[in-house]
Amino acid sequence: MKKLLFVFALLFSMTSLVQAQDKKAPASPKITAESPDKSIKVIYGQPSKKGRVIFGPEGSSSLEKYGKVWRTGANEATEVTFKNDVMFGGKMVKAGTYTLFTIPGEKEWSVILNSTLGQWGAYDYDKIKGTDVATIKVPVSMAKTPIEKLTITPANSSIAIAWDNMTISVPVTKHG
């Protein structure tokens, strides 16, 4: 009887171990990135390129179309928190947490901060665009080699967004 119980216990533990190993990391993990001085925090879903064309014109097979609002990540819309009042690309923004949207373009992107939190994607952006806090335009830099995973990097005086063959940087300076 003890041997039978031992065998069942062994089988059960092996099954649990195999099931635990089967659980994969999410396709687009949630990333939290902070500036070195902890004054800027960004939380976003990090999608991967996976051989896809990421940015392109309407009618192309690209994932994100030029001129269309993008949640700037995967799943929930990206959120940016500023510990202090800042100048975001030259526009005054109060300390707080904002949803970050972008409108990718071939040569420049529009970067939007919106005060409505808890958005899933950018599907309802048209309903909340009246709560935009700042919209700025920044030039695109082309990456020499494709960047596999969307990467949003807050520095002490900027927020960089890089994916596929495009990189942008938004200047962020303390106000006052």
Side-chain angles (χ1 to χ4, degrees), residues 104-109 138-143 165-169:
E106 199 170 353
K107 302 219 180 300
E108 72 177 8
W109 285 22
V138 293
V140 169
S141 296
M142 300 306 285
N165 60 349
M166 294 189 157
T167 300
I168 64 163
S169 183

Side-chain angles (χ1 to χ4, degrees), residues 26-42:
S28 300
K30 187 177 255 190
I31 303 294
T32 300
E34 282 190 289
S35 60
D37 67 3
K38 309 279 190 221
S39 65
I40 304 170
K41 179 169 77 172
V42 181

Side-chain angles (χ1 to χ4, degrees), residues 85-161:
D85 293 353
V86 296
M87 295 300 289
F88 183 80
K91 302 231 173 143
M92 206 330 240
V93 174
K94 294 259 181 223
T97 301
Y98 301 92
T99 301
L100 176 77
F101 295 103
T102 53
I103 302 174
E106 199 170 353
K107 302 219 180 300
E108 72 177 8
W109 285 22
S110 293
V111 182
I112 304 161
L113 290 179
N114 184 285
S115 63
T116 304
L117 302 178
Q119 297 299 302
W120 180 267
Y123 305 109
D124 290 331
Y125 176 74
D126 283 341
K127 294 177 188 172
I128 64 163
K129 65 183 175 185
T131 59
D132 287 353
V133 172
T135 301
I136 61 154
K137 293 185 182 290
V138 293
V140 169
S141 296
M142 300 306 285
K144 288 181 177 38
T145 58
I147 298 154
E148 177 62 26
K149 294 176 184 249
L150 171 69
T151 305
I152 302 177
T153 309
N156 293 343
S157 60
S158 66
I159 298 173
I161 301 170

